[in-house]
């Protein structure tokens, strides 16, 4: 990541610009973060983000003489802080700022995904549970970091998050501390123990109420279901997701009930031709609570295995198949966020055991990524030069090998003419070189001698 600042002065300037742009002091007060005494809260945030970029823990980081690490931990562990609201408000300010660099016609989209938040060696972490990792197919101790992001096709911004424990009591290793049910801390802990699809819809509702203008919601096969598509339609949003090749989910196609696998076999046996960018694109109808819902499917070839196929679906049926594939391709940006967070921003590298503190750590990780995304968007981009960018990037034309050798021989002959004493030596070198060449090249270079 070339945009990560390694100089303390550069990071200080980036942090000051970020704080002024999003009006961080005002947003901190709206998130219930207030200064009681001593150093200002923004200074604590700058020091905490500096340790994240340096990939140090609080104990190994360079201390600040104005405060101790315990002060920073107390700030993160404060149960009254609404970290989700703070992350959302910061992202909205950045989105409004980034909108000045983009065309107003550019399609905005929300992206939902989750990633493993490992705590393998923890025993007393609050709400610690056994969560299933889909990549490795086994259980780990930790949480699921449910994340909602925003994308305009160029820049990705994390909008909101929820650190999910298990909804089953048998999978929870550690219990939650007792809180008053009317407090923010109690609501946050109750949210962590709900079903992930329900919480994902709550995060989408918060983003829409905050002023996000996205009309599409992208998600992978784990979140894709007819109920999710229907719930988004009630909110005036269009879902774009990858469907599982399951035999348990049925729909109607030409008044016949079938699943994804049976539909693919019918399309293969039909006379429908396969296209270059996709295979088939039919419109099917799902039944959700007694209501028929049209969904446009797009069958595409799996690049990892040419003999297999992937199925994309959207409730925006007037989109062309190429647009659906292109729009779903943006979902990979949230995977890039998870990769950057785990490699550079201490995503799950923290010793905090309090659940409020873990939420505060996740907020710091997202603030760090916001700074990187802002720096990348404001950096000089040669692509803004238009056609000059493509002219500079156009490779030089290649010449044939015979032409290159012929040009070399002519240059050597010219040197022999300039230096009369060395003409015999050059002729000898040239004769030996011609004897080592294949007969076809030697014939082409005959004129050069």
């Amino acid at each position: 990541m070339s945009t990560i600042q390694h100089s303390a002065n550069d990071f200080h300037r980036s942090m000051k610009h970020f704080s002024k742009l999003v009006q961080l002091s005002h947003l901190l007060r709206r998130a219930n973060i207030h200064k009681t005494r001593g150093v200002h809260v923004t200074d604590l945030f700058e020091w905490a983000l500096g340790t994240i970029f340096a990939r140090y823990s609080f104990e190994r980081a360079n201390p600040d003489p104005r405060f101790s690490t315990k002060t920073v931990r107390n700030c993160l562990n404060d149960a009254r802080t609404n970290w989700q609201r703070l992350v959302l408000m910061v992202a909205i300010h950045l989105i409004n700022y980034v909108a000045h660099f983009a065309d107003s016609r550019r399609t905005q989209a929300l992206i939902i995904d989750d990633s493993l938040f490992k705590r393998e060696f923890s025993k007393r972490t609050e709400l610690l549970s056994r969560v299933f990792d889909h990549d490795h197919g086994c259980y780990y101790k930790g949480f699921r970091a449910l994340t909602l992001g925003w994308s305009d096709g160029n820049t990705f911004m994390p909008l909101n998050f929820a650190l999910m424990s298990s909804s089953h009591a048998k999978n929870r290793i550690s219990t939650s501390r007792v809180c008053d049910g009317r407090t923010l801390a109690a609501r946050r802990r109750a949210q962590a123990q709900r079903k992930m699809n329900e919480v994902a819809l709550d995060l989408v509702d918060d983003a829409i109420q905050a002023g996000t203008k996205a009309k599409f919601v992208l998600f992978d096969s784990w979140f894709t279901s007819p109920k999710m598509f229907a719930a988004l339609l009630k909110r005036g949003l269009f879902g774009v997701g990858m469907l599982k090749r399951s035999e348990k989910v049925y729909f109607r196609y030409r008044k016949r009930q079938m699943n994804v696998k049976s539909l693919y076999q019918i399309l293969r046996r039909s006379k429908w031709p396969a296209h270059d960018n996709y295979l088939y694109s039919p419109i099917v109808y799902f039944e959700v609570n007694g209501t028929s819902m049209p969904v446009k499917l797009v069958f595409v070839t799996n690049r990892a295995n040419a003999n297999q196929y992937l199925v994309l679906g959207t409730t925006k049926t007037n989109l062309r198949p190429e647009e659906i594939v292109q729009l779903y391709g943006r979902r990979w940006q949230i995977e890039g966020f998870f990769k950057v967070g785990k490699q550079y921003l201490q995503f799950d590298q923290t010793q905090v055991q309090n659940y409020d503190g873990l939420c505060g750590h996740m907020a710091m990780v997202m603030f760090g990524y916001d700074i990187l995304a802002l720096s990348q968007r404001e950096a000089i981009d040669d692509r803004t030069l238009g056609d000059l960018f493509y002219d500079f990037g156009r490779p030089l034309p290649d010449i044939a090998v015979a032409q290159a050798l012929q040009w070399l021989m002519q240059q050597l002959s010219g040197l022999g003419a300039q230096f009369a004493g060395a003409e015999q030596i050059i002729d000898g070198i040239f004769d030996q070189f011609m004897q080592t060449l294949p007969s076809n090249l030697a014939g082409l270079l005959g004129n050069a001698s």
Side-chain angles (χ1 to χ4, degrees), residues 331-348:
R331 198 201 66 82
W332 192 253
Q333 289 183 308
I334 198 171
E335 302 291 349
F337 161 72
F338 290 136
K339 182 178 180 180
V340 171
K342 292 182 178 181
Q343 290 188 357
Y344 299 100
L345 302 177
Q346 305 289 92
F347 184 85
D348 52 359

Side-chain angles (χ1 to χ4, degrees), residues 169-351:
K170 62 180 181 180
N171 290 332
R172 288 196 291 270
I173 301 174
S174 179
T175 59
S176 172
R177 69 184 180 91
V178 180
C179 301
D180 189 345
R182 299 168 296 179
T183 61
L184 174 64
R187 295 197 299 269
R188 184 156 46 205
R189 285 160 174 80
Q191 182 189 61
Q193 303 174 52
R194 294 169 54 196
K195 293 183 178 181
M196 194 174 298
N197 282 13
E198 298 176 356
V199 178
L201 291 175
D202 292 343
L203 299 184
V204 171
D205 291 338
D206 294 339
I208 298 301
Q209 292 177 4
T212 307
K213 299 179 181 179
K215 290 298 181 182
F216 293 91
V217 182
L218 316 180
F219 38 81
D220 60 3
S221 58
W222 200 94
F223 295 92
T224 303
S225 65
K227 291 184 178 180
M228 175 64 79
F229 282 130
L232 292 174
L233 273 181
K234 290 181 179 180
R235 293 163 170 80
L237 302 174
F238 301 101
V240 180
M242 181 177 293
L243 276 68
K244 296 180 181 178
R245 291 179 297 172
S246 174
E247 298 179 355
K248 300 180 180 180
V249 180
Y250 291 91
F251 49 80
R252 289 192 174 275
Y253 176 69
R254 293 183 177 179
K255 299 182 180 180
R256 294 175 57 186
Q257 189 172 0
M258 59 186 67
N259 54 45
V260 171
K261 292 184 178 181
S262 60
L263 176 60
Y264 180 72
Q265 296 300 328
I266 292 176
L267 295 176
R268 286 192 63 183
R269 292 193 299 265
S270 66
K271 296 182 180 180
W272 281 22
H275 301 266
D276 296 335
N277 299 326
Y278 65 96
L279 299 177
Y280 313 105
S281 179
I283 296 180
V284 300
Y285 294 87
F286 287 92
E287 294 290 335
V288 181
N289 298 327
T291 304
S292 180
M293 178 182 62
V295 175
K296 189 170 188 177
L297 303 183
V298 180
F299 291 83
V300 295
T301 304
N302 190 353
R303 293 183 179 179
N305 190 346
N307 296 325
Q308 295 182 357
Y309 61 92
L310 304 175
V311 187
L312 306 180
T314 179
T315 50
K316 185 71 170 177
T317 56
N318 58 355
L319 286 179
R320 293 184 292 108
E322 295 85 358
E323 294 176 338
I324 297 174
V325 175
Q326 183 181 15
L327 189 60
Y328 184 78
R330 295 190 192 179
R331 198 201 66 82
W332 192 253
Q333 289 183 308
I334 198 171
E335 302 291 349
F337 161 72
F338 290 136
K339 182 178 180 180
V340 171
K342 292 182 178 181
Q343 290 188 357
Y344 299 100
L345 302 177
Q346 305 289 92
F347 184 85
D348 52 359
Q349 303 297 321
T350 178
Q351 299 176 357

Side-chain angles (χ1 to χ4, degrees), residues 16 76 99 165 276 321 330 366:
K16 290 296 183 183
L76 295 180
S165 181
D276 296 335
R330 295 190 192 179
M366 292 188 172

